[in-house]
Amino acid sequence: MSSIDLPSGVLDAIAAPPADREPIVRQELAVSLYRAEYRSFGTARELAGLSKAEFHRLLGEREVERHYTEDDLALDVEYARE
């Protein structure tokens, strides 16, 4: 696993309890990368440290459009028919 070095004081500047600061940064990064289509739903969810339902909820709260193509739909329909 790699890590990102944040400038001194970045986590301290977040107005949240210390234990919540890293999860907040991870979730913000995950949402931003998903929105910009740099990460898939699964890898962004993993980065955020959330379940599928929790990450769907977070994306909904942020009004982030889901990436779901016609190819994805075709795969889902094919899978459902099997």
Side-chain angles (χ1 to χ4, degrees):
M1 177 180 197
S2 34
S3 64
I4 298 173
D5 291 325
L6 299 175
S8 168
V10 168
L11 288 179
D12 293 337
I14 297 172
D20 294 341
R21 293 174 185 165
E22 184 177 335
I24 288 169
V25 171
R26 293 174 69 84
Q27 289 175 20
E28 293 302 321
L29 181 58
V31 168
S32 293
L33 292 173
Y34 178 79
R35 178 184 283 129
E37 299 186 31
Y38 289 122
R39 303 301 322 154
S40 68
F41 179 89
T43 59
R45 177 196 67 75
E46 184 179 357
L47 173 60
L50 299 174
S51 69
K52 288 180 183 179
E54 291 168 332
F55 195 59
H56 272 295
R57 191 174 311 111
L58 179 61
L59 293 176
E61 290 169 1
R62 303 296 173 77
E63 299 180 0
V64 175
E65 193 171 314
R66 305 315 191 279
H67 311 154
Y68 193 77
T69 66
E70 288 184 28
D71 290 338
D72 295 329
L73 175 60
L75 288 171
D76 286 346
V77 168
E78 182 180 325
Y79 178 78
R81 289 184 177 158
E82 292 177 0

